[in-house]
């Protein structure tokens, strides 16, 4: 596990917390790495006993009766985990249950390699310390296909991580200032003590298991930091690093541990305070070429996976896939789950359908408040959604940790926050099995390597979620999970037969059965499924891509007359529009903010090495604007970050145009950003001003090194979905029940091919070899008219949250927006019936019109909002602050009184009932308002708290409460006279620390 990109250690820690948080677009429920009061490790002795009560061979898929279905149930409330139940029977009957899961083995998807977890140094050390018999029992329960849960994927780090039983090490460490370019001192001796022996024992239990290896850092002398901490790879050592991989694979193979997969670098977009290395997509592409050539020269068949980091940066692996020299050696992508969501897997799969997909790291930990949350993450998100989004395998993080969530690397400040599949107490030898172990078991015990995912529909979050497989022996496996809040009765239909089952809220079941149920009337004839598959012919075999409405919010959309066209654009693909690049001689640029060194004009200076920068993590509502000098016709905008700032791109954006720079109307396009150049194709526009507005928060900065606009005078063209393609390309269409027209194009040839995407042929789409493009056309008239209902509250201060209720805003923001007068508001969340946003910062006191455009761009209505004056703030000179808990990272309580919103107090652990802060004003004061501002740590606010005052610091009077906290919390109460103020957290929120950048009191 590692950190994401940021500047400086404090920013790095902030980013690490940010990537663990659940974003508004949906994702894993992980959040920041605070501690709650609860003990989140499951000491499941009784649970383990329940497990061992199951008799018989669990790997046997079915009983001898073809109509029988074996049932394995997890009932979390009863602490029953994957326990065998009485068989249910298929019956030849139709079902009209609206919750019917249809299983169809005639539709096959990806091949499954398996499920597993990482054998970190800490995990292997703990397992190896167990007495021989106990160690053998544990390894059997982890890996044995018949007596255990049959884990078949193992990730092993190449050298030190944050989870080590000792300190930093690589396989070729040298004294500071010395190098070993020939790798003459290479040795895996460290691993021979306990890592390799434990891996050999795992392989003995499950010989078909496959191992993935990757480094957190190569030897320090290969890096700019001359250390395993920080830095990036020196370009001179790319080939040496490739040789390092060769030596490692040969040494492990000689030791009886063959390596099936590697990734070049764990979490390459960040440099944490433990071993790690930054590696841009362009650097990794070059490294993969070196590794691929070295593997070929040494006849090594180990596959290479790119990326090995979070879901929400799909353009990183796609940058590598779009480079033919690197792509030829790259089998697929490794994904981590700490930001984004599994839909990104399908996004990349559709763009490059020939590449494999793996979840290579997913960890549970202290941020999960209970077993139900942990189980939902592991089974509901990582396994069910992961597999439905084309994962070939799923690997969790540490296989084993101790009761203190370690051991941690003794040379670094690793954070004890992660949970292993099992907890091993090195003192007592006790082994307990955690919720993640049982979540994996629902799949790993029953879905065999070589199985294929087969068709099943699912009902999404809050209902019955499912995924189905067919094993190599023909048996079938269906996993169903009730992520709702109430019991649900559902039906399972396969061919002509069906059965009914009831699953309580939060519970899961695995069904296994055999037999082909074809012929006659299908049991399910009216199953609703919003997705659709397109299968194309190709020389490697059939290629299937999936249309899913959930993909639309991550694709590019443009308003074309009375229609909305949403389309994908794989890295390496392009759209040619009429005309050429326009002269920038009279242009000027402005932005919502920028540091002194990152002026907006830098984006117009012709120097790719200079840039405009927002200078901070992006928030919804940030913008960059170009004044073209006069009304101008254009049809494409291209803005680039430059290779040296490749992660500093806007993650989601909207495009607005204006004649006067004041009235912007609704957005004309929206899309998702990517590494490198972002190209926005438009129908012919005529305007003087162009504004790019960020519509998603991100820990990344936003930079533009160069911006260019393309067009021709008198152009009238418009992009549209293709209706025909040249020979060699394949085109298929589908119309959804809701009327969306979906077109998919696949290029199965050996070279890039172009096809027209406008009626007059003036727009042309170029699609690289092996990629697909998808176009979805919707009539804007099909969008229900949005209606502004109410605004709450109707007054407040800048940066405070407000909520707009109404109808038909759209499930995702799309072309929608919220304005305060002419200013864009920062959007917090967007749904069809509710929008939460923030009052723009810097607004003067007064009344403002708050207006909404729905997702299709139509006006929804407006209401008035009053920005109020808080009055004078009390002087804080001499004030002191104390707290119950304080972060060890220089985030002390004095920071919330220093007048600098860039510093903060932080609890350093998850919020819990009773966590408190106290301010001593040194003398009795009269006041009636308190303002708590979290600054840039936007998620670390108190969700609920009670406010007390005192004259002596001993006797306290409650004067107010926080019921639904927010990042800028204004607490008002009747006028008080007191010296001390104490705010006490009133709820457990393990997912977030409590941070306060500024604590201000008003009279």
């Amino acid at each position: 596990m590692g950190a994401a990109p940021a500047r400086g250690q404090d920013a790095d820690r902030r980013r690490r917390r940010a990537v663990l948080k659940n974003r508004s677009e949906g994702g894993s429920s992980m959040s920041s790495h605070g501690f709650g009061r609860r003990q989140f490790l499951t000491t499941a002795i009784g649970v383990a006993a329940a497990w061992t009560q199951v008799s018989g061979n669990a790997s046997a898929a079915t009983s001898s009766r073809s109509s029988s279905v074996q049932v394995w149930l997890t009932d979390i409330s009863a602490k029953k985990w994957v326990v065998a139940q009485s068989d249910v029977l298929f019956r030849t009957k139709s079902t009209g249950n609206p919750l019917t899961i249809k299983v169809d083995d005639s539709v096959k998807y990806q091949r499954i390699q398996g499920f597993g977890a990482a054998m970190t140094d800490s995990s292997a050390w703990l397992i190896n310390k167990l007495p021989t018999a106990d160690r053998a029992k544990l390894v059997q329960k982890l890996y044995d296909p018949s007596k255990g849960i049959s884990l078949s994927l193992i990730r092993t780090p190449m050298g030190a991580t944050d989870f080590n039983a000792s300190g930093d090490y690589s396989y070729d460490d040298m004294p500071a200032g010395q190098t070993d370019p020939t790798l003459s001192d290479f040795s895996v001796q460290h691993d021979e003590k306990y890592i390799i022996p434990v891996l050999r024992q795992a392989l003995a239990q499950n010989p078909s298991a496959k191992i993935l290896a990757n480094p957190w850092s190569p030897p320090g002398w290969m890096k700019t930091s001359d250390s395993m901490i920080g830095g990036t790879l020196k370009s001179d050592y790319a080939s040496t690093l490739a040789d390092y991989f060769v030596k490692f694979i040969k040494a492990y193979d000689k030791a009886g541990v063959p390596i099936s997969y590697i990734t070049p670098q764990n979490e390459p977009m960040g440099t944490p305070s433990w071993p790690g290395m930054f590696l841009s997509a362009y650097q990794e592409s070059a490294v993969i070429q070196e590794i691929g050539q070295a593997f070929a020269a040494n006849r090594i068949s180990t596959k290479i996976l790119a990326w090995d980091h979070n879901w929400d940066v799909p353009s990183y692996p796609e940058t590598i896939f779009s480079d033919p020299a690197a792509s030829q050696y790259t089998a697929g992508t490794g994904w981590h789950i700490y930001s984004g969501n599994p839909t990104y897997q399908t996004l990349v799969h559709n763009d490059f359908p020939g590449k494999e997909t793996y979840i290579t790291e997913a960890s549970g930990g202290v941020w999960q408040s209970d077993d139900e949350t942990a189980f939902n993450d592991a089974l509901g998100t990582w396994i069910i959604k992961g597999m439905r989004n084309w994962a070939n395998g799923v690997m969790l993080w540490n296989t084993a940790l101790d009761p203190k969530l370690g051991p941690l690397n003794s040379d670094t400040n690793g954070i004890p926050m992660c949970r292993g599949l099992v907890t091993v107490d090195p003192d007592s030898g006790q082994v307990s099995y955690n919720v993640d172990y049982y979540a994996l078991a629902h799949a790993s015990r029953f879905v065999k390597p070589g199985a294929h995912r087969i068709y099943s529909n699912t009902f999404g979050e809050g209902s019955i979620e499912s995924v189905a497989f067919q094993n190599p022996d023909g048996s079938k496996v269906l996993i169903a999970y009730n992520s709702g809040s109430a019991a649900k009765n559902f039906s399972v239909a396969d061919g002509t037969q069906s059965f009914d089952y009831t699953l309580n809220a939060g519970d899961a079941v695995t069904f296994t059965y055999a037999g082909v149920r074809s012929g006659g009337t299908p049991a399910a004839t009216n199953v609703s499924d919003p997705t659709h598959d397109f299968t194309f012919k190709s020389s490697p075999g059939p290629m299937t891509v999936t249309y899913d409405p959930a993909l639309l919010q991550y694709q590019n959309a443009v308003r074309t007359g009375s229609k909305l066209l949403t389309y994908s654009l794989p890295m390496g693909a392009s759209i040619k529009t009429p005309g050429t690049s326009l002269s920038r001689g009279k242009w000027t640029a402005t932005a919502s903010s920028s540091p002194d060194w990152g002026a907006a004009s830098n984006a117009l200076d012709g120097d790719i090495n200079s840039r405009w920068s927002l200078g901070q993590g992006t928030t919804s509502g940030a913008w960059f604007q170009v004044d073209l000098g006069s009304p101008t016709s254009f049809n494409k905008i291209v803005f680039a970050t430059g290779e040296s700032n490749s992660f500093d791109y806007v993650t989601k954006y909207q495009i607005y145009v204006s004649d006067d720079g004041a009235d912007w109307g609704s957005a004309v396009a929206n899309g998702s950003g990517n590494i490198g150049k972002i190209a926005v194709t438009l129908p012919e526009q005529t305007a003087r001003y162009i504004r790019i507005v960020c519509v998603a928060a991100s820990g990344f900065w936003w930079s533009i090194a160069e911006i260019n606009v393309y067009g021709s005078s008198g152009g009238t063209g418009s992009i549209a979905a293709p209706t025909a393609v040249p020979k060699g390309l394949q085109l298929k269409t589908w119309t959804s029940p809701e009327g969306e027209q979906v077109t998919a194009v696949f290029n199965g040839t050996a070279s890039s091919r172009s096809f027209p995407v406008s009626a007059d042929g003036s727009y042309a789409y170029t699609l690289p070899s092996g990629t697909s493009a998808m176009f979805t056309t919707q009539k804007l008239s099909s969008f229900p008219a949005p209606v502004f209902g109410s605004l709450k509250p109707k007054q407040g201060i800048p940066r405070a949250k407000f909520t707009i209720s109404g109808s038909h805003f759209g499930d995702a923001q799309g072309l929608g927006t919220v304005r305060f007068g002419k200013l864009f508001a920062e959007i917090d969340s967007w749904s069809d019936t509710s929008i939460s946003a923030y009052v723009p910062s810097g607004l003067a006191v007064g009344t403002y019109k708050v207006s909404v455009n729905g997702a299709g761009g139509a006006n929804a209505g407006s209401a008035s909002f009053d920005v109020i004056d808080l009055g004078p703030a009390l002087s804080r000179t001499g004030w002191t602050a104390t707290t119950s808990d304080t972060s060890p990272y220089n985030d002390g309580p004095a920071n919330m009184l220093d007048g600098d919103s860039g510093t903060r107090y932080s609890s350093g652990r998850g919020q819990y009932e009773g966590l408190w802060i106290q301010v001593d004003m040194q003398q009795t004061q009269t006041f009636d308002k308190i303002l708590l501002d979290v600054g840039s740590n936007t998620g670390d606010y108190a969700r609920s708290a009670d406010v007390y005052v005192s004259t002596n610091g001993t006797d306290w009077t409650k004067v107010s409460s926080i019921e639904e906290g927010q990042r800028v919390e204004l607490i008002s109460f009747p006028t008080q006279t007191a010296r001390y103020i104490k705010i006490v957290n009133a709820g457990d929120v393990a997912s977030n620390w409590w941070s306060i950048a500024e604590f201000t009191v008003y009279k």
Side-chain angles (χ1 to χ4, degrees):
M1 200 168 185
R7 289 148 176 84
Q9 280 196 355
D10 186 65
D12 192 50
R13 289 192 292 271
R14 290 197 299 270
R15 174 58 183 160
R16 184 172 179 89
R17 290 198 303 278
V19 300
L20 293 176
K21 292 180 180 176
N22 183 17
R23 298 188 173 181
S24 59
E25 65 193 14
S28 73
S29 64
M30 292 188 73
S31 283
S32 61
H33 45 48
F35 296 99
R37 290 186 304 171
R38 298 177 181 149
Q39 178 70 26
F40 292 108
L41 298 174
T42 305
T43 55
I45 299 173
V47 175
W51 175 267
T52 59
Q53 290 171 6
V54 178
S55 61
N57 185 346
S59 67
T62 69
S63 69
S64 59
R65 295 172 294 169
S66 63
S67 61
S68 293
V69 179
Q70 286 187 315
V71 182
W72 302 79
L73 176 70
T74 285
D75 180 343
I76 296 180
S77 62
K79 298 300 180 185
K80 295 180 179 179
W81 304 91
V82 203
V83 176
Q85 308 293 295
S86 299
D87 288 4
V88 297
L89 297 178
F90 268 118
R91 301 188 184 280
T92 303
K93 64 171 185 175
S94 61
T95 175
N97 188 341
L99 288 180
T100 294
I101 300 171
K102 176 183 176 182
V103 179
D104 184 355
D105 62 17
S106 70
V107 181
K108 290 183 171 62
Y109 302 100
Q110 75 272 25
R111 187 174 185 268
I112 307 304
Q113 292 293 350
F115 305 85
M119 189 61 69
T120 58
D121 184 283
S122 295
S123 296
W125 182 81
L126 286 166
I127 293 172
N128 192 66
K129 280 182 68 68
L130 290 169
T132 301
D134 293 341
R135 181 171 65 248
K137 180 181 179 181
L138 172 58
V139 172
Q140 182 184 68
K141 291 189 72 171
L142 288 167
Y143 300 103
D144 190 286
S146 59
K147 298 179 181 179
I149 65 170
S150 192
L151 298 183
S152 56
L153 290 176
I154 306 171
R155 183 178 183 224
T156 187
M158 294 170 57
T161 72
D162 42 337
F163 286 91
N164 275 41
S166 56
D168 291 341
Y169 76 94
S170 75
Y171 302 123
D172 197 344
D173 293 319
M174 299 296 293
Q178 297 185 29
T179 63
D180 182 23
T182 64
L183 301 176
S184 59
D185 288 336
F186 182 94
S187 172
V188 295
Q189 182 178 359
H190 174 281
D191 296 6
E192 292 170 349
K193 299 174 185 176
Y194 47 85
I195 297 175
I196 288 174
V198 171
L199 289 173
R200 279 200 298 253
Q201 292 175 62
L203 291 173
Q205 293 290 334
N206 191 348
S208 66
K210 297 184 182 297
I211 295 176
L212 177 148
N214 66 324
W216 267 235
S217 173
W221 53 266
M222 293 188 189
K223 298 163 60 183
T224 56
S225 62
D226 196 28
S227 165
M228 293 190 70
I229 312 298
T232 190
L233 184 69
K234 294 178 180 177
S235 58
D236 294 347
Y237 285 121
S239 62
T240 307
L241 180 57
D243 293 338
Y244 184 81
F245 275 93
V246 169
K247 284 183 173 290
F248 168 80
I249 289 169
K250 287 184 174 181
Y252 259 57
D253 189 65
K254 184 178 179 180
V257 183
I259 304 299
S260 298
Y261 298 90
I262 62 102
T263 70
Q265 174 61 41
N266 174 71
E267 300 193 346
M269 68 179 181
T271 52
S273 54
W274 46 85
M277 180 173 74
F278 177 85
L279 207 63
S280 74
Y282 307 106
Q283 288 175 293
E284 183 160 304
S285 183
V287 168
I288 286 175
Q289 293 176 53
E290 294 283 356
I291 295 174
Q293 292 165 11
F295 282 5
N298 287 273
R299 298 183 179 180
I300 291 173
S301 60
T302 301
K303 292 183 177 182
I304 303 171
L305 302 179
W307 186 215
D308 209 15
H309 209 163
N310 292 328
W311 278 318
D312 58 352
V313 191
S315 59
Y316 190 110
E318 287 204 5
T319 296
I320 294 165
F321 298 158
S322 68
D323 179 354
S327 183
Q328 64 178 320
Y329 299 118
T330 311
T333 308
W335 297 103
H336 294 191
I337 57 80
Y338 307 114
S339 61
N341 63 71
T343 302
Y344 286 100
Q345 295 175 188
T346 293
L347 195 75
V348 174
H349 168 83
N350 283 355
D351 288 349
F352 293 86
K355 299 298 185 181
E356 298 176 46
T357 298
Y358 291 86
I359 293 178
T360 50
E361 184 180 309
S363 184
V366 298
W367 53 86
Q368 296 165 322
S369 58
D370 48 39
D371 283 347
E372 288 77 8
T373 300
F375 192 71
N376 176 77
D377 288 348
L379 184 66
T381 301
W382 309 336
I383 294 174
I384 293 179
K385 290 187 179 71
M387 286 285 154
R388 293 193 69 87
N389 283 277
W390 292 94
N392 298 91
V394 175
M395 285 166 269
L396 272 59
W397 187 208
N398 292 276
T399 299
L401 290 177
D402 65 25
K404 296 181 180 179
L405 308 183
L408 297 172
N409 186 324
S410 60
D411 287 341
T412 66
N413 61 342
I415 305 169
M417 62 177 183
C418 295
R419 181 181 57 244
L421 300 190
V422 301
T423 299
V424 175
D425 188 328
D427 297 323
S428 68
Q430 180 178 336
V431 177
S432 53
Y433 295 77
N434 298 322
V435 59
D436 318 83
Y437 173 88
Y438 298 108
L440 272 177
H442 266 288
S444 63
R445 291 189 77 198
F446 311 104
V447 180
K448 302 307 174 185
H452 283 85
R453 178 168 69 92
I454 58 177
Y455 177 82
S456 72
N457 56 304
T458 189
F459 298 97
E461 290 186 18
S463 188
I464 300 296
E465 303 185 57
S466 78
V467 64
F469 307 89
Q470 185 170 42
N471 281 318
D473 65 0
S475 62
K476 298 174 189 177
V477 179
L478 174 66
I479 303 170
Y481 167 59
N482 182 357
S483 60
S485 57
K488 294 187 183 297
N489 177 267
F490 62 98
S491 299
V492 176
D494 189 338
T496 61
Q497 297 185 315
S498 68
F499 67 84
D500 301 324
Y501 200 83
T502 298
L503 200 56
N504 289 329
D507 291 354
V509 63
T510 297
F511 301 111
T512 61
Y513 60 94
V516 178
R517 291 162 176 80
S518 59
T521 302
T525 58
N526 192 30
V527 172
S528 175
D529 190 343
T531 69
H532 182 78
D533 299 314
F534 299 93
T535 300
F536 300 97
K537 298 177 181 177
S538 75
S539 54
M543 295 289 177
T544 298
V545 299
T546 299
Y547 166 79
D548 186 333
L551 291 168
L552 298 180
Q553 63 179 303
Y554 306 113
Q555 296 175 338
N556 308 292
V558 59
R559 211 170 58 218
T560 59
S562 62
K563 297 178 181 178
L564 180 69
L565 175 69
T566 306
Y567 62 94
S568 62
L569 192 70
M571 295 294 284
S574 62
I575 300 175
K576 187 179 186 304
T577 61
T580 59
S581 178
L582 303 179
S583 170
R584 302 187 297 183
K586 296 182 179 181
W587 295 9
T588 57
T590 53
S592 56
S593 68
S594 61
D596 293 340
W597 52 265
S601 58
N602 290 347
L604 304 176
D605 64 3
D607 182 0
I608 195 68
N609 295 313
S610 69
R611 57 174 172 150
W612 163 75
S613 178
L614 192 63
Q616 61 189 27
T618 54
T619 57
S620 173
W623 53 266
F624 180 88
Q625 180 176 309
V626 174
D627 177 356
L628 303 176
S630 61
T632 304
S633 295
F634 55 91
N635 51 40
K636 185 163 68 173
I637 306 164
V638 178
F639 44 105
T641 60
E643 287 192 13
S644 61
N645 306 294
S646 58
F647 285 116
D648 289 350
Y649 60 86
V650 59
T651 53
K652 288 188 176 182
Y653 63 84
Q654 293 175 332
I655 303 295
Y656 293 82
V657 299
S658 173
D659 292 327
D660 60 7
D663 296 317
W664 294 95
S666 59
V668 297
N670 68 274
S672 293
N674 54 256
I675 290 170
K677 293 182 178 180
I678 300 171
V680 183
T681 300
L682 303 167
E684 203 71 36
Q685 305 286 319
T686 300
R688 175 174 172 174
Y689 297 89
I690 299 170
R691 179 175 281 190
I692 307 165
V693 178
C694 173
V695 292
S698 170
F700 300 125
W701 293 12
W702 177 17
S703 298
I704 297 177
E706 288 295 306
I707 184 167
N708 287 281
V709 180
Y710 296 76
S712 61
S713 60
T716 58
S718 180
I719 184 173
T723 56
V725 293
K727 184 178 180 180
L729 297 177
Q730 300 171 58
L731 180 149
K732 294 189 175 184
T733 62
W734 175 71
T735 301
S736 77
E738 292 74 27
E740 291 94 349
Q741 296 175 323
V742 185
T743 302
V745 179
F746 175 69
N747 181 4
T749 72
S751 60
S752 295
R753 297 292 180 92
S754 298
F755 54 93
V757 285
S758 62
D760 61 1
S762 60
Y763 288 59
Y765 192 118
T766 298
L767 190 63
S769 171
T771 65
S772 80
M774 196 170 291
F775 305 82
T776 303
T777 305
Q778 300 166 277
K779 294 180 179 179
L780 289 172
S781 60
S782 69
F783 286 71
V787 177
F788 191 122
S790 62
L791 175 65
K792 183 181 179 181
K794 295 184 178 181
Q795 66 175 23
I797 60 175
R799 299 179 55 232
K801 182 188 287 189
F802 61 92
T803 300
I804 301 167
S805 299
S807 60
H808 306 309
F809 295 139
D811 292 332
Q813 185 175 353
L815 300 177
T817 192
V818 176
R819 289 189 180 88
F820 254 72
K822 297 182 183 300
L823 297 178
F824 293 87
E826 177 186 351
I827 305 299
D828 179 65
S829 64
W830 187 292
S831 73
D832 196 49
T833 59
S834 179
I835 303 169
S836 291
Y838 295 94
V839 180
S841 61
L843 285 184
V845 173
T847 300
Y848 294 83
K849 177 183 177 182
V850 180
S851 59
V852 173
N853 290 92
N859 179 43
S862 63
S864 295
F865 186 95
D866 292 325
V867 175
I868 61 175
D869 182 8
L870 295 182
L874 301 184
S875 171
R876 297 183 295 184
T877 301
W879 290 15
T880 59
T882 53
T883 61
S884 59
D885 300 88
T886 301
S887 162
Y889 301 114
N890 298 316
D891 294 336
N895 290 346
M896 60 180 161
L897 302 174
D898 65 0
D900 182 359
S901 62
T903 65
R904 60 166 181 165
Y905 153 73
S906 185
S907 63
R909 63 182 298 178
Q911 297 174 39
Y912 64 86
E913 185 176 356
L915 174 67
W916 56 265
I917 63 168
Q918 180 175 314
V919 171
D920 178 357
M921 297 183 286
Q922 300 300 318
Q923 62 182 345
T924 300
Q925 304 262 24
T926 300
F927 53 94
D928 61 5
K929 289 183 286 290
I930 301 169
L931 185 67
L932 305 180
D933 187 343
V934 301
S936 61
N937 304 281
T938 55
D940 291 349
Y941 56 86
R943 271 49 176 186
S944 60
D946 293 323
V947 182
Y948 298 85
V949 299
S950 172
T951 57
N952 57 16
T954 302
D955 302 311
W956 296 93
T957 301
K958 180 179 174 181
V959 297
S960 187
S961 294
I962 300 171
E963 296 182 356
E964 295 181 9
Q966 58 174 297
R967 61 178 70 167
V968 179
E969 183 69 44
L970 178 62
I971 310 165
S972 299
F973 39 80
T975 300
Q976 302 293 317
T977 299
R979 173 175 172 174
Y980 299 91
I981 300 171
K982 191 171 192 175
I983 303 179
V984 182
N985 204 290
D988 289 340
V989 188
S991 58
N992 290 88
W993 293 8
W994 187 11
S995 298
I996 300 174
E998 289 299 307
F999 182 107
T1000 311
V1001 183
Y1002 294 86
K1003 178 181 178 182

